[in-house]
Amino acid sequence: EAQVTQNPRYLITVTGKKLTVTCSQNMNHEYMSWYRQDPGLGLRQIYYSMNVEVTDKGDVPEGYKVSRKEKRNFPLILESPSPNQTSLYFCASSLLGLAGKNEQFFGPGTRLTVL
Amino acid sequence: AQKVTQAQTEISVVEKEDVTLDCVYETRDTTYYLFWYKQPPSGELVFLIRRNSFDEQNEISGRYSWNFQKSTSSFNFTITASQVVDSAVYFCALSGDQTGANNLFFGTGTRLTVIP
C-alpha cells in the first residue's frame, strides 16, 4: 500500500531533550516536506526536500533540522525542543514537487507536546 | 509574499444544503498552484484538488465543485447536497513557481459542520 508513515504518532517530552520524528514513504517520491499545524494558524511548512541531499527552508524552520540521506526517509530533528514547538506535525511527499500534476500525500501526523 | 485567506472560520449547515467555502489568495507569481485539502475529525489530510494558474476552467467532481477566478484571486469550493461525512476542516493552499517554489502556504482553514 502506497503510504507515508510517521513515528511516533504521539510524543510527550521535556524542554531541551533532543528528539527525532521519522518520516518514510514507499512511493519513490523525490519531494518530501514537513509541516506543523497550530490552532488558528493552519499548516505552515518547516522544511522541504527536492531530492536526496537537497533540503531547503520553508516558512518556519527555526528550531528544526532535517536530513535526506535516503530517498524514502526525511526525519525531523528537534535538537533542543521548547514548549512553543508543541504542535501537530505532518510529513508529506509527492513525486516531483508541487508543480505539475503532482498530488501531495500526507502522513497521519505526530502530536508533540513539549513540557 | 504568498498569502491565503479563508475568512470563514466555522460554518454550520443542515444536511442536504449546499455550502461554499471561500478562499482568496495573494501572489506576485505569474505561475502558481492552488490546492484544497480536507481534514476529517480523525486528523489525516486528504488531497481534494490541485489547479494551476493557467487553467481557469471550473471543475466538478461528484458533489464537489471549484470556482477559480483570477480576476478576484479566488478559488472557492462548493459542496452540493452536503452530508454528515463532509464535516471536516477544509484548507486552501497556494504554491508559486517563482516566490519560494515548492513552499506550500496554507490558509487557516474553515471548519464545516453538517447537522443531520
Side-chain angles (χ1 to χ4, degrees):
Chain A
E1 179 189 356
Q3 60 182 350
V4 178
T5 57
Q6 295 178 227
N7 283 291
R9 295 289 312 280
Y10 302 90
L11 178 60
I12 300 175
T13 189
V14 295
T15 299
K17 186 176 181 181
K18 180 179 178 180
L19 66 92
T20 299
V21 183
T22 65
C23 173
S24 183
Q25 49 92 6
N26 62 1
M27 296 168 278
N28 202 35
H29 284 172
E30 292 190 357
Y31 173 92
M32 297 185 74
S33 182
W34 276 103
Y35 301 84
R36 59 177 289 173
Q37 182 179 0
D38 302 291
L41 296 177
L43 282 85
R44 293 176 293 168
Q45 191 173 48
I46 303 170
Y47 270 95
Y48 67 92
S49 168
M50 293 301 294
N51 213 325
V52 175
E53 302 294 0
V54 181
T55 63
D56 206 348
K57 297 177 181 178
D59 209 23
V60 288
E62 296 77 20
Y64 303 94
K65 285 176 56 178
V66 292
S67 69
R68 188 92 182 273
K69 293 186 170 59
E70 306 167 281
K71 200 170 188 179
R72 64 182 293 127
N73 296 324
F74 190 43
L76 179 69
I77 303 156
L78 285 73
E79 295 268 3
S80 183
S82 62
N84 64 14
Q85 293 178 298
T86 293
S87 187
L88 177 59
Y89 291 86
F90 287 100
C91 180
S93 73
S94 70
L95 185 59
L96 292 172
L98 298 175
K101 292 189 181 295
N102 291 308
E103 176 182 344
Q104 190 166 199
F105 294 82
F106 281 84
T110 294
R111 188 165 293 281
L112 171 66
T113 302
V114 183
L115 301 174
Chain B
Q2 319 280 41
K3 185 178 179 182
V4 175
T5 301
Q6 296 179 256
Q8 305 151 307
T9 306
E10 295 190 25
I11 300 176
S12 292
V13 298
V14 176
E15 200 171 20
K16 297 184 183 175
E17 287 184 344
D18 299 348
V19 59
T20 296
L21 309 182
D22 298 333
C23 173
V24 174
Y25 62 91
E26 294 176 31
T27 180
R28 293 180 183 169
D29 293 355
T30 52
T31 303
Y32 52 91
Y33 308 90
L34 294 162
F35 304 77
W36 275 96
Y37 289 89
K38 174 182 180 179
Q39 186 176 43
S42 50
E44 73 271 23
L45 284 160
V46 179
F47 169 84
L48 295 178
I49 190 171
R50 177 196 162 284
R51 175 57 51 86
N52 73 53
S53 53
F54 295 116
D55 182 2
E56 289 194 67
Q57 276 193 337
N58 291 332
E59 181 154 342
I60 298 174
S61 176
R63 295 184 298 106
Y64 294 170
S65 62
W66 290 269
N67 182 0
F68 177 30
Q69 292 198 337
K70 286 179 80 170
S71 60
T72 56
S73 297
S74 64
F75 187 44
N76 297 337
F77 172 33
T78 297
I79 302 174
T80 302
S82 59
Q83 300 177 0
V84 173
V85 294
D86 297 327
S87 296
V89 179
Y90 291 87
F91 291 99
C92 180
L94 164 72
S95 177
D97 254 12
Q98 289 88 48
T99 306
N102 290 300
N103 284 32
L104 187 58
F105 296 87
F106 281 80
T108 52
T110 297
R111 181 178 300 278
L112 173 65
T113 302
V114 181
I115 303 164

